[in-house]
Amino acid sequence: MENIEHKILLAEDEENLGLMLSEYLEMKGYSTELTHDGEEAYNAFVANKYDICIFDVMMPKKDGFTLAKEIRMVNAEVPIIFLTAKNMKEDILQGFKAGADDYLSKPFSMEELILRIEAILRRTSGNNTIQDVYMLGQYKFDTQKQQLIFKDNVIKLTTKESELLKLLCTNANKVLERNLALKTIWVDDNYFNARSMDVYITKLRKHLKEDPSVEIINVHGKGYKLVV
């Protein structure tokens, strides 16, 4: 299988295993980024595009299950494989609930990992995993053109407005946590970035005011919810 264009995000805190996996995947033609904890992996994910993620479950700062849930809020489609020493039924179920596409218990063979990666990529390679257009009531949001269209009126969005609205669309009718939005778009959740995000939320509300069925509401102490 031709895989030179595929990029993998690998999160493994066990140094020797991480290096061995990374080198093996590179040898097989996959561009691989190795991270050593859940926080580092999340930051890498929001800064780059990957075709598949491979996460150890037991990691410092952020475990694999938590990492997968947060990544699912940013991208609902990217395939995730869990690597873990755990093989209890409850842990496997928890992994799939967190958004896993596959699960490998340690120790495993490198050949089996490659076969599973190839199987997942065959299933997903024909799919456009990035949604470009969202329908929000009477609005059409084109993420590529960064345009919000209402009837004949076209609103050109700034990059930040577009990124924030896309994140809200990905989590439509669910709470988008403030910290997650800040770290995804602004990288840092400090006070000044938080105030900046509030300004962009206000701008988006003005852009969406023509259709009363579309609303961005505050969820006290948590974040925002795009109600459609």
Side-chain angles (χ1 to χ4, degrees):
M1 180 181 179
E2 179 60 43
N3 52 35
I4 194 68
E5 75 278 15
H6 292 304
K7 191 169 183 182
I8 294 177
L9 175 61
L10 173 63
E12 171 58 67
D13 68 312
E14 193 179 322
E15 190 173 348
N16 289 340
L17 178 59
L19 285 170
M20 186 169 64
L21 281 171
S22 179
E23 288 173 4
Y24 185 78
L25 290 168
E26 290 277 353
M27 185 181 72
K28 289 294 182 179
Y30 294 98
S31 172
T32 307
E33 181 160 358
L34 173 62
T35 58
H36 303 90
D37 60 62
E39 197 171 283
E40 184 186 352
Y42 179 80
N43 291 336
F45 185 84
V46 298
N48 302 283
K49 287 186 179 180
Y50 299 94
D51 297 291
I52 193 165
C53 299
I54 302 173
F55 298 151
D56 186 29
V57 171
M58 302 301 290
M59 292 189 291
K61 297 187 180 178
K62 198 178 299 223
D63 66 72
F65 295 147
T66 303
L67 174 61
K69 286 176 184 174
E70 291 186 2
I71 278 176
R72 279 284 172 256
M73 293 182 74
V74 179
N75 185 321
E77 303 294 338
V78 66
I80 298 173
I81 298 175
F82 279 130
L83 306 177
T84 179
K86 296 183 173 185
N87 55 12
M88 290 173 62
K89 184 180 177 182
E90 307 88 78
D91 295 317
I92 294 171
L93 289 175
Q94 187 181 349
F96 284 114
K97 284 177 182 176
D101 292 84
D102 209 341
Y103 206 103
L104 267 177
S105 294
K106 299 175 184 176
F108 55 85
S109 74
M110 296 290 193
E111 291 81 4
E112 183 181 3
L113 175 60
I114 292 296
L115 289 173
R116 294 196 183 210
I117 290 170
E118 290 180 349
I120 287 173
L121 289 175
R122 272 196 300 272
R123 290 202 308 268
T124 60
S125 60
N127 299 333
N128 180 10
T129 59
I130 305 298
Q131 186 171 339
D132 293 332
V133 177
Y134 293 88
M135 299 307 298
L136 309 173
Q138 298 179 62
Y139 286 93
K140 177 182 175 182
F141 172 38
D142 189 322
T143 64
Q144 294 299 306
K145 295 179 180 177
Q146 294 185 192
Q147 291 178 346
L148 190 61
I149 304 160
F150 181 79
K151 296 180 179 177
D152 294 328
N153 184 28
V154 178
I155 302 166
K156 179 65 177 172
L157 302 176
T158 66
T159 298
K160 282 280 195 293
E161 285 173 339
S162 185
E163 288 176 346
L164 184 54
L165 184 55
K166 184 172 181 179
L167 203 52
L168 286 161
C169 288
T170 305
N171 296 277
N173 299 311
K174 296 186 291 187
V175 176
L176 172 62
E177 295 182 11
R178 283 178 63 86
N179 285 355
L180 178 66
L182 284 166
K183 287 181 178 177
T184 301
I185 299 171
W186 279 268
V187 182
D188 194 332
D189 60 351
N190 64 44
Y191 174 83
F192 299 104
N193 288 340
R195 297 285 71 79
S196 175
M197 185 169 72
D198 291 339
V199 170
Y200 280 100
I201 288 287
T202 300
K203 288 181 178 179
L204 289 177
R205 284 182 174 138
K206 287 179 181 176
H207 293 326
L208 295 166
K209 68 181 180 182
E210 299 301 328
D211 187 347
S213 72
V214 182
E215 188 181 8
I216 301 172
I217 63 172
N218 288 343
V219 181
H220 184 68
K222 292 186 177 180
Y224 303 101
K225 183 191 287 188
L226 174 64
V227 180
V228 182

